[in-house]
Amino acid sequence: GIGHLHDIHSAEGELKQPFKDELPTRQAQLSTLQDTEEFDVLVVGGGATGSGCALDAVTRNLKTALVERNDFSSGTSSRSTKLIHGGVRYLQKAIMKLDYEQYMMVKEALHERSNLLDIAPHLSAPLPIMLPVYKWWQLPYYWAGIKMYDLVAGGQCLKSSYVLSKNKALELFPMLKKDKLVGAIVYYDGEYFSLLSSLKGLFSPGCCWTYQHFRNEFDVRAKCVINATGPFTDSLRKMDDGKNTNICQPSAGVHIVIPGYYSPDNMGLLDPATSDGRVIFFLPWEKMTIAGTTDTPTDITAHPIPREEDINFILNEVRNYLSPDVEVRRGDVLAAWSGIRPLVTDPNSKDTQSICRNHIVNVSDSGLVTIAGGKWTTYRSMAEETLDAAVAAHRLGGGPSKTVGLVLEGGQDWSPTLYIRLVQDYGLENEVAQHLAATYGGKAFDVAKMARVTGKRWPIVGNRLVSEFPYIESEVRYAVKEYACTAIDVIARRTRLGFLNVQAADEALPRIVDIMGKMLDWSDKKRTEELEAAKKFLYLEMGYRSRSEQLTGTTEITLDTQEVAKYTNRFHKFDKDSKGFITTVDVQRVLQNISVQIDENALHEILNEVDLNKNGQVELNEFLQLMSAVKKGQVSDSRLAILMKTAEESLDLRGPVTVDRSGGGV
């Protein structure tokens, strides 16, 4: 069936593997879907839970199909916190309110956390998280709570928590605010580095579906349909029976990505009680810092957009925790996104934070099996429970679940030193090799084999998509081999570029579309459509709009007279003819004076970022607006601002100039 998984072994015996040696083509998958008379299980929804259900069904040797109307894990699953956690705050509620259900939920999550670290060792690792303490009385209170967390984990405790003095806390987390800090507690949770589809041989038809039917396509028959559609749970339940009440209360969680210097390389930070009672954290992720999260009721949409007020709320909370020496700038937000948590609720509840994150499995009168709610961490146990219910309700047979300890794709051949072999055998850069090993595990060699020769002395193979990230071109080729059909899929999920830096992702897009276009035989029209769709995705869903709107025609100029004079003077050094504006020609002329060469196209881009009225030139007013936005921290790393500053300094010195920074990252 479509759901059979490629090359998976189980400690409890071999599974049927129709596609052991290589993945079937997409067309072969579609044919199987169309020609199979009846599946045992049809899973609707290809996020973490749906994929988990399909995997669980296959381990029971059930004939399985999975359909997803978009790309795998393109919804809530890819917009999560990337943290495999047991739920510290639920434990607090369990103790305070003597709530057994919350306690069991934490216990289950800790068990799943431990299992994930076993079955995907290349993708997950323990991450120490610091709780800074600013009041003496909180120290024993928090310490007792965290020790309970360790106790509940029992033998599955990753590493024991410990208490730190103020000085030791500042040594480990130098960016922390020193005032009133009395100490800190460090505990361990799991971090998930990347969410690539670990399920092979599953498929996404890329078209609208109606219940058990693909519009304009074909019927798919199955003894049992599983609804694993996350926030869209209720719409499928209503298709099944219009009288069903809503059980899902969607909540928007916004995350932002800021530069890596906001947190140490291997230490997260969690504040269990922010100004309005929500939990805030920032964690090191892919050499950046990820901060969040909000928790606000929201409408259900397939394309959630991060709001400016959410971004600013997170920045303000981050400011509360960091030393005043660290300027938290709005312009440092490199990407922002919103994910919709599908909380299961009692229709009378008004407050999303008090809703239990537990899940429910429901079988309707017609036999539709719905799995709703839950947490990313517990996807495997949720899937097992769902299949148990499906097997019982539809008498499917097929034996028990075998997913505990079932190593995910790439995990079998992984070891912590695998990246060294990639460097030695293929001549890949160290950083690239570490990234490939941590993302693909044992499959990293397949990606390395597809890498092209660079023509340079080092690295021998592996052309990067953009200079500051370790993603290489062969990852795009590998993604296409694994059913990637859209440029959005490649920038958002097969790599993490869109989530890490929207500008860098935008820069990489033409090359990505070029590689995919050749492999998938795209027409010029199709290439343009893919490029435009991906640009729109970055602009709306990954926070590019919020970033670019920090500098607009209405930006208020808040410079004092001295600063206005200084920047006007700088501007006139470029505007030699006093035209009132500067063009690429003016900038080139000044750069030639100080012996700096910049590519014409790059210069156009640099000016275009600041050219608000898009007339091909930067007026004095636009330049002053830029400098004002830079001063306020709304814009950071402006290539034009840095370029003109270094050029002016060089002109004043009239001496040799280093070109490292004058290119502003070009």
Side-chain angles (χ1 to χ4, degrees), residues 120-125 191-196 198 408-409 438-440:
H122 56 307
L123 292 174
S124 47
E191 182 180 31
Y192 214 66
F193 293 116
S194 177
L195 190 79
L196 283 152
S198 306
L408 294 183
E409 188 81 324
T439 304
Y440 302 90

Side-chain angles (χ1 to χ4, degrees), residues 99-365:
D99 186 330
Y100 183 70
E101 188 196 3
Q102 296 263 11
Y103 167 77
M104 286 312 291
M105 194 171 116
V106 175
K107 197 161 177 61
E108 175 192 46
L110 288 166
H111 168 71
E112 290 305 314
R113 180 187 73 174
S114 167
N115 184 57
L116 252 175
L117 293 164
D118 289 341
I119 66 172
H122 56 307
L123 292 174
S124 47
L127 175 74
I129 297 175
M130 184 183 286
L131 277 79
V133 181
Y134 288 91
K135 293 187 176 75
W136 278 108
W137 65 266
Q138 289 175 332
L139 207 57
Y141 172 73
Y142 283 157
W143 181 80
I146 291 297
K147 275 295 162 210
M148 279 294 294
Y149 196 57
D150 288 358
L151 279 171
V152 174
Q156 293 165 339
C157 179
L158 300 178
K159 293 182 182 180
S160 281
S161 55
Y162 53 92
V163 177
L164 289 174
S165 67
K166 174 179 178 171
N167 287 346
K168 195 72 187 157
L170 289 168
E171 194 181 304
L172 289 173
F173 210 118
M175 315 80 184
L176 262 187
K177 190 183 274 184
K178 299 181 184 67
D179 295 358
K180 297 184 183 154
L181 183 71
V182 294
I185 291 162
V186 173
Y187 76 98
Y188 285 81
D189 252 333
E191 182 180 31
Y192 214 66
F193 293 116
S194 177
L195 190 79
L196 283 152
S197 169
S198 306
L199 295 171
K200 304 299 188 288
L202 294 175
F203 127 99
S204 151
C207 59
C208 295
W209 41 262
T210 53
Y211 183 45
Q212 271 191 303
H213 176 81
F214 297 87
R215 197 173 299 149
N216 306 329
E217 292 251 344
F218 45 81
D219 289 329
V220 174
R221 282 175 184 71
K223 292 172 186 160
C224 165
V225 175
I226 292 175
N227 171 10
T229 53
F232 300 94
T233 295
D234 288 323
S235 56
L236 210 69
R237 276 165 48 81
K238 284 192 161 62
M239 282 182 205
D240 177 44
D241 181 350
K243 293 195 282 292
N244 276 334
T245 54
N246 285 357
I247 58 167
C248 178
Q249 183 173 321
S251 159
V254 170
H255 295 82
I256 63 172
V257 170
I258 45 185
Y261 52 70
Y262 276 94
S263 65
D265 289 346
N266 192 33
M267 176 73 76
L269 181 132
L270 183 129
D271 170 19
T274 59
S275 55
D276 69 352
R278 292 186 274 199
V279 169
I280 198 92
F281 57 81
F282 40 123
L283 309 166
W285 182 60
E286 303 270 331
K287 299 204 163 58
M288 297 292 180
T289 302
I290 186 173
T293 174
T294 60
D295 197 350
T296 37
T298 183
D299 293 328
I300 294 173
T301 166
H303 304 286
I305 294 169
R307 298 178 313 167
E308 189 58 34
E309 56 259 48
D310 292 327
I311 293 170
N312 285 320
F313 164 77
I314 297 169
L315 285 174
N316 281 330
E317 292 297 338
V318 168
R319 275 186 199 104
N320 289 341
Y321 275 83
L322 294 187
S323 148
D325 305 345
V326 181
E327 190 191 347
V328 179
R329 305 179 296 183
R330 173 61 185 80
D332 280 340
V333 177
L334 304 168
W337 67 86
S338 173
I340 300 179
R341 297 187 190 92
L343 308 185
V344 187
T345 180
D346 155 7
N348 308 319
S349 171
K350 304 242 179 333
D351 172 15
T352 57
Q353 293 156 59
S354 65
I355 296 169
C356 178
R357 290 291 200 285
N358 224 332
H359 59 272
I360 60 161
V361 176
N362 170 268
V363 182
S364 74
D365 294 345

Side-chain angles (χ1 to χ4, degrees), residues 597-663:
Q597 284 291 312
I598 287 191
D599 173 64
E600 179 76 22
N601 290 343
L603 251 189
H604 269 291
E605 265 181 46
I606 290 171
L607 261 72
N608 194 39
E609 283 173 18
V610 182
D611 177 14
L612 299 173
N613 57 10
K614 302 294 176 228
N615 61 355
Q617 52 204 36
V618 174
E619 282 86 15
L620 174 60
N621 196 47
E622 288 174 329
F623 182 64
L624 292 176
Q625 280 177 323
L626 168 69
M627 296 318 294
S628 180
V630 167
K631 180 189 172 188
K632 282 192 284 196
Q634 289 175 311
V635 170
S636 65
D637 302 330
S638 160
R639 296 187 283 185
L640 186 69
I642 291 171
L643 185 76
M644 287 174 73
K645 180 177 188 283
T646 32
E648 182 182 51
E649 286 165 358
S650 306
L651 284 170
D652 293 346
L653 286 171
R654 286 274 182 235
V657 59
T658 62
V659 293
D660 302 357
R661 261 328 254 171
S662 61

